């Protein structure tokens, strides 16, 4: 039993079963034993590898997109370049390198902002961005970003925001809880909480017993805050995560430990805990806040539309065959489909303060 597991068992013994959302939050953010407080999650030595760590090409494509979003909206002054949940800072480093080349005036005038609550990760980001650290301001919350036209990126942010789960029973939907089994180990069960049928994408009577439906008011609240700022100050926010474009059913709660899937209740605090993101809900939330929602894309279509294969070819020109093969493999992993590839599983959503044609979401008319 991990230290956090023991802490959670004690909480359940004292106060009763936990909501999945409360368990989720404790696993990732408990001040003493939370996953992001004590572990190095990224890279081969960690538990998972994010897209920016696979190849510099990912961050470079993000940089190209941000320049295009800025130009499509009139190349304004007073720009804030923002990343929420910046990991090691690799994406921001690669994106800024491209921005400096393609739009030197944007690069020179913009202020750079990182929203990061982990002091340990802030230290890593300062090392990655050591040449720029004097230009960067770190924030604990998105609401701290100063007013001004905003170009924002959130890569694998929403999957780490807690969810609630509800199970269809003969009496309707009941909230899934985490309690203790007869041996005193963590186990799933059902609580008294119910779900309004209006939250479902289909009639409740059509849902078979045992089916799981997930909601995340916390994710919707974050998107609402982002969209509200974008509408107020101008700009574009880009969200990339694994998930589904249309609201559906299913248990997507998952843990990852040393690059392998792990039972979600097995080692709290020592495994990453995530779930799939409902992009339909994010898009509807942004639209309700007054933002313009660009048509969502798969990560593969997004990267290919921005020219990742052309950039890969240029990067490999004059290099040895092994290097060229490595570059090609990285692009396939980022943009391809199938097992171990991110192109179809990951989705991309962009919202702007007003309608604007921004490639690759909005192809220019011929």
């Amino acid at each position: 039993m991990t230290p956090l597991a023991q802490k959670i068992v004690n909480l359940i013994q004292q106060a009763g079963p936990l909501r999945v959302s409360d368990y989720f939050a404790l696993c990732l953010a408990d001040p003493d034993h939370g996953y992001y407080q004590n572990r190095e999650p990224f890279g081969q030595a960690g538990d998972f590898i994010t897209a920016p760590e696979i190849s510099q090409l990912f961050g470079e494509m993000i940089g190209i997109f941000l320049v295009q979003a800025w130009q499509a909206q009139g190349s304004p002054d007073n720009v804030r370049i923002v990343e929420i949940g910046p990991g090691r800072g690799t994406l921001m480093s690669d994106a800024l390198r491209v921005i400096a080349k393609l739009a030197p005036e944007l690069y020179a005038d913009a202020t750079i902002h990182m929203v990061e609550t982990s002091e340990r990760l802030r230290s890593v980001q300062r090392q990655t961005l050591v040449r720029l650290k004097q230009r960067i301001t770190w924030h604990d919350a998105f609401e701290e970003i100063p007013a001004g036209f905003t170009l924002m990126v959130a890569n694998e942010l929403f999957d780490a925001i807690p969810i609630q789960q509800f199970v269809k029973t003969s009496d309707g939907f009941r909230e899934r809880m985490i309690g203790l089994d007869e041996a005193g180990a963590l186990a799933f069960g059902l609580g008294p909480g119910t779900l309004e049928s209006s939250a479902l994408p289909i009639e409740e009577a059509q849902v078979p017993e045992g089916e799981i439906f997930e909601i995340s008011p916390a994710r919707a609240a974050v998107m609402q805050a982002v969209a509200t700022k974008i509408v107020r100050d101008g700009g574009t926010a880009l969200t990339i995560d694994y998930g589904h474009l249309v609201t559906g059913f299913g248990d997507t709660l998952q843990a990852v430990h040393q690059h392998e899937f792990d039972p979600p209740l097995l080692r709290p605090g020592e495994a990453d805990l995530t779930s799939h993101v409902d992009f339909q809900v994010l898009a509807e939330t942004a639209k309700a806040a007054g933002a313009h929602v660009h048509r969502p894309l798969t990560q593969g279509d997004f990267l290919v539309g921005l020219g990742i294969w052309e950039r890969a070819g240029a990067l490999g020109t004059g290099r040895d065959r092994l290097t060229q093969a490595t570059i090609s493999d990285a692009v396939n992993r980022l943009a391809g489909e199938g097992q171990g590839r991110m192109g179809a599983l990951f989705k991309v959503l962009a919202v702007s303060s007003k309608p604007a044609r921004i490639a690759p979401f909005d192809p220019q008319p011929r």
Side-chain angles (χ1 to χ4, degrees):
M1 187 175 289
T2 67
L4 182 57
Q6 186 60 63
K7 182 174 183 176
I8 292 172
V9 166
N10 293 339
L11 285 172
I12 293 172
Q13 289 173 337
Q14 294 171 12
L18 296 175
R19 286 179 160 182
V20 169
S21 56
D22 294 332
Y23 174 79
F24 199 126
L26 284 168
C27 285
L28 297 185
D30 179 79
D32 298 316
H33 308 296
Y35 179 77
Y36 283 107
Q37 307 303 316
N38 299 299
R39 293 181 65 84
E40 173 51 63
F42 308 107
Q44 291 293 344
D47 294 308
F48 57 86
I49 299 176
T50 59
E53 307 294 336
I54 292 173
S55 170
Q56 70 185 65
L57 291 165
F58 184 80
E60 290 178 355
M61 294 302 106
I62 299 299
I64 291 172
F65 173 78
L66 295 180
V67 170
Q68 292 179 169
W70 175 68
Q71 292 172 338
Q73 295 172 84
S75 304
D77 298 325
N78 194 35
V79 176
R80 317 302 185 193
I81 298 176
V82 180
E83 185 174 5
I84 308 179
R88 287 177 169 172
T90 306
L91 186 156
M92 181 64 81
S93 177
D94 292 336
L96 289 173
R97 184 176 62 253
V98 169
I99 292 171
K101 183 177 181 180
L102 297 181
E105 64 275 31
L106 169 62
Y107 177 79
D109 295 338
T111 57
I112 304 166
H113 303 267
M114 311 276 265
V115 181
E116 177 59 70
T117 58
S118 168
E119 188 54 47
R120 183 183 60 79
L121 286 176
R122 286 190 185 191
S123 178
V124 174
Q125 293 154 17
R126 291 188 183 97
Q127 294 174 21
T128 302
L129 296 155
V130 62
R131 296 182 180 179
L132 296 167
K133 66 179 183 179
Q134 300 304 321
R135 291 186 58 186
I136 300 173
T137 304
W138 275 266
H139 306 273
D140 290 321
F142 179 75
E143 290 76 12
E144 297 175 6
I145 305 297
F149 186 90
T150 300
L151 297 171
M152 190 212 87
V153 179
N155 181 56
E156 295 197 46
L157 167 72
F158 284 93
D159 69 275
I161 297 176
I163 60 167
Q164 291 175 256
Q165 291 186 316
F166 293 84
V167 182
K168 176 66 182 296
T169 72
S170 58
D171 297 322
F173 276 89
R174 299 264 305 279
E175 186 164 12
R176 200 182 193 195
M177 307 289 283
I178 296 168
L180 305 178
D181 63 17
E182 294 179 357
L186 297 174
F188 288 111
L190 296 177
T194 59
L195 180 71
E196 291 290 335
S197 59
S198 59
L200 299 171
I202 61 176
E203 292 293 328
E204 183 174 324
Q206 301 178 39
V207 184
E209 287 188 27
E211 191 65 88
I212 291 178
F213 187 69
E214 299 175 343
I215 65 171
S216 180
R219 289 177 181 172
V222 171
M223 176 52 77
Q224 183 178 38
V226 167
T228 298
K229 175 175 172 54
I230 292 295
V231 171
R232 183 185 69 232
D233 295 341
T236 296
L238 186 72
T239 296
I240 305 168
D241 229 308
Y242 54 86
H244 38 272
L245 294 177
V246 178
T247 300
F249 296 87
D251 179 8
T252 74
L253 183 68
Q254 61 189 41
V256 176
H257 180 70
Q258 296 181 353
H259 304 273
E260 299 288 343
F261 288 111
D262 211 45
L265 304 184
L266 181 60
R267 56 183 104 238
E270 295 182 1
D272 182 37
L273 198 65
T274 67
S275 74
H276 287 207
V277 175
D278 187 334
F279 278 82
Q280 180 177 335
V281 169
L282 295 187
E284 291 173 350
T285 300
K287 186 175 181 179
H292 171 72
V293 178
H294 303 264
R295 66 185 181 101
L297 296 173
T298 65
Q299 180 171 294
D301 288 342
F302 174 74
L303 295 175
V304 170
L306 286 170
I308 192 170
W309 278 114
E310 292 79 1
R311 172 57 181 149
L315 195 62
T317 299
R319 311 292 288 275
D320 61 83
R321 289 186 178 180
L322 178 59
T323 300
Q324 291 176 344
T326 300
I327 294 170
S328 180
D329 287 346
V331 175
N332 272 318
R333 186 170 177 186
L334 291 169
E337 298 183 12
Q339 187 174 2
R341 297 178 178 181
M342 306 169 72
L345 176 61
F346 280 68
K347 312 301 189 299
V348 189
L349 177 69
V351 302
S352 296
S353 53
K354 57 185 178 181
R357 302 190 73 90
I358 307 174
F361 295 98
D362 313 289
Q364 296 299 320
R366 295 182 178 180

